[in-house]
Structures are given as structure tokens and as C-alpha cells.
Amino acid sequence: MDSDHDRPAWQLRTDDDANVIVLSGAWIAQQGRVPALPSDGLRQALPDRLIHFDTTALGRWDTALVGFLWQVKQLAARDHLAIQADTLPDSARKLLDLLPESAPAPAVPHRRAFAPVTALGARTLDGLTEIGTMTELGVEAARGGLAALAGRGRMRMTDLMDNIRDAGPSALLIVSVVNFLVGAILAFVGAVQLRRFAADIYVASLVGIAMVREMSAVMTAIIMAGRTGGAYAARIATMQGNEEIDALTVFGIPVSSYLILPSILGLVATMPFLYLYGCLIGMLGGFAVSISMLAVTGPGYLHQTLNAVALNQFEFGFAKSIAFAILIGLTSCRIGLRAGRSAADVGVAATRAVVVGIVGVIAVDAIFAVIATTIGI
């Protein structure tokens, strides 16, 4: 416990030609015993005289002393008194010199006027600008791919193989679990209705068409948006924070070919196979439910599935999976490049990439549904 001798204190003493503030004790903020300086603390000071400091009895100090000195400086400026700080500790004097003579006025919060048309226009322009930037980024990545095919690209094959491994074999488990459960759920829902009409065998048609046409491609894309897309955005955002992107730019290495192209190609190379794998696993989930709950045999289920699912359905799902891969790769990398340079911005970029990826997949799937209806698939 500190003694009374270490208790911080101050006293204003007036001499014939100066005002002296005597400082004593230990001015430590954590002790919580720093004396306050009232607004009229310098009322007894002699006018037109300098204010000096007597630090003979001053003990240990930290920011508590600097805060007190700033209060003295503000009151002295208000009362038109000058301060002579040469007797203060050197570091305290330097800090006091950096402080203004008056505290800055609090910033007045800017009140936005209600202008919905202006806000809508600004958001539209921002959206169009972002679409243009994404298009330019995609074109640069495509040029990098063509240059790589010609043997003049900056893409490293080891980066491409790492992205393929991360986006493909490493994702098989979660793709299997999700698509198996989706196929089983579709079989459950179909069984409740179809068994009323003694049409149990058509559960195979329901599961097969739903998985091949929609569910496998969409669910696999959502999984990759949450798993791989978020990882891409977090990785690039981390490189942004570590100034690795700036280093690549300084050395003249195009980011589109060195970072973005391997990420997109890794997804494009693996998503179609994951889609086909998801279709197989989803049908397996429907098969497991059908043979356990319905009067359906294994060969009958397989025969009905082969008759119901046409080859062009696979082609359509194949095209959708490639479009989803390009969308997820581009948006995730773009969000990573737009991220800030702090650790919190990495998490924000990953979250935003997942959200944008999932919403984008649903939106693109709706466009494909309209196209399929138009061309009669």
C-alpha cells in the first residue's frame, strides 16, 4: 500500500515574479487517486506572469501527470497565462508540447437527408462499377489462361494442383453427406404422396430428375461457396493485409494470373465431377429410403432411374456447375482483393464471400431455369 508521502498532490504558489505549481507524489493513473484540477484552479495566479513547475518532490508518473498538465495548459490559455515547462521531465514536456491549448470540439454527426432516388442511383452506379470490375478481372484471368496454354503464363502448376486438391478430393466428404441427405429427403417427401396412388416406383424418377436437374448442382455449389469461396476470400484478404499483393504488383507479377486464375481453374476442373458425384450419392440416398420404406426392389429402382433421367439433363447440370464455379471463384477473389488490411477485415471478407456466393448461385440457377423452360429442356 502506498504511503501518504506517495499520494499525488499539487499546489499553486505565487512568488513575486512567477506562478509556481508544486507537484509532489506519484502520479499513477492505475492508483485512481489523481487530484482534479477545478475550472477555477488558477484564479489566484498573478496576471501577466509565467507559470512554472516545481518537480522536486515529484515521484513516479505516467499519463495521469500528462493529463493534469494538459488541463493546466488549457486553463492557462483561457486566462491568458504563459507556461514555462523547462523544469518538467523531458518526456512529459515533449508530450505537453504536442497537446493543443484547447480540446477539439466533438464532431457533429452528419444527418443524411431523405433522398431515396439519390441513394438508389448511387447504389446502381456502384453495382454497375463492380460488375465492370468483375468482368475486367474475368477477362484478365481468361487471357492469363490462354497465355498459360501457350507456355507464356505466370500461373504455377503447383498452385493449380493445390487448388484442385483443396476444391476436389478434400470436399468429397461434405458433398457426400449433404447430397445423400438431400436425396433421402426427396425420397421421404415423394413417398408420402406417391404411395397413396400405389406409385412407389416413381420415387426413383422424382429423386433422379431432381438431383440431376437441380439439387446436386445447387447444393454442391452452395457447399463450395461456403467452403472454398470463403477460404479464397480469407486467403487473399490475408495477403492484402500482409502487403503481399502490393509486393506482387511491385515486381510486375499480375495478380489475375498468379492468384485468381489457379483458384478459378481449380473450381472449374472439380465442380463438374463433384456434381456428377453428388448426383450418384443423392440417388443412393433415395435408393436407401425407397428399399427400406416402399415396395421397390433394387433393380426396379435402377431401371426406373435410367428411364427417367435423360442425357441432356446431365449436360444442363454440367453447364450449370461450370457457371457456378466461375461465379464463386471470381466473386470470392474480388471480395478478397477489396478487403481492408486489418485482421477483422479477413473475417468480414470471408463472410461476405460466402453470402455473395450463395445468393449468386441461387440467382444464376433461376436464370438457368428460365433458359431451360425457354428452350424446352
Side-chain angles (χ1 to χ4, degrees), residues 202-231:
Y202 289 103
V203 172
S205 302
L206 170 65
V207 175
I209 294 175
M211 292 302 300
V212 172
R213 188 181 179 90
E214 289 290 339
M215 298 307 299
S216 179
V218 173
M219 296 307 300
T220 302
I222 289 176
I223 292 170
M224 301 308 290
R227 181 186 179 277
T228 307

Side-chain angles (χ1 to χ4, degrees), residues 103-111:
V108 179
H110 178 69
R111 299 184 63 182

Side-chain angles (χ1 to χ4, degrees), residues 112 115-131:
R112 294 185 178 180
V117 177
T118 303
L120 179 61
R123 289 185 176 272
T124 302
L125 291 177
D126 292 341
L128 293 176
T129 302
E130 192 61 30
I131 291 175

Side-chain angles (χ1 to χ4, degrees), residues 20 45 148 163 216 235 274 307 341:
V20 180
N163 282 280
S216 179
R235 181 181 64 188
L274 290 176
N307 289 336
R341 297 181 181 271

Side-chain angles (χ1 to χ4, degrees), residues 304-363:
Q304 184 64 29
T305 300
L306 294 177
N307 289 336
V309 181
L311 183 60
N312 61 352
Q313 301 292 336
F314 283 100
E315 296 174 353
F316 194 66
F318 222 76
K320 284 202 297 186
S321 64
I322 295 176
F324 292 156
I326 297 174
L327 171 70
I328 294 170
L330 272 178
T331 56
S332 301
C333 294
R334 173 58 182 163
I335 291 173
L337 290 174
R338 289 185 56 191
R341 297 181 181 271
S342 66
D345 291 328
V346 177
V348 172
T351 303
R352 187 173 299 170
V354 173
V355 173
V356 172
I358 293 175
V359 174
V361 164
I362 301 301

Side-chain angles (χ1 to χ4, degrees), residues 143-153:
R143 289 176 180 173
L146 294 177
L149 292 177
R152 296 180 288 104

Side-chain angles (χ1 to χ4, degrees), residues 129-155:
T129 302
E130 192 61 30
I131 291 175
T133 304
M134 289 276 296
T135 304
E136 183 180 0
L137 193 64
V139 171
E140 291 179 358
R143 289 176 180 173
L146 294 177
L149 292 177
R152 296 180 288 104
R154 296 294 186 92
M155 181 185 67

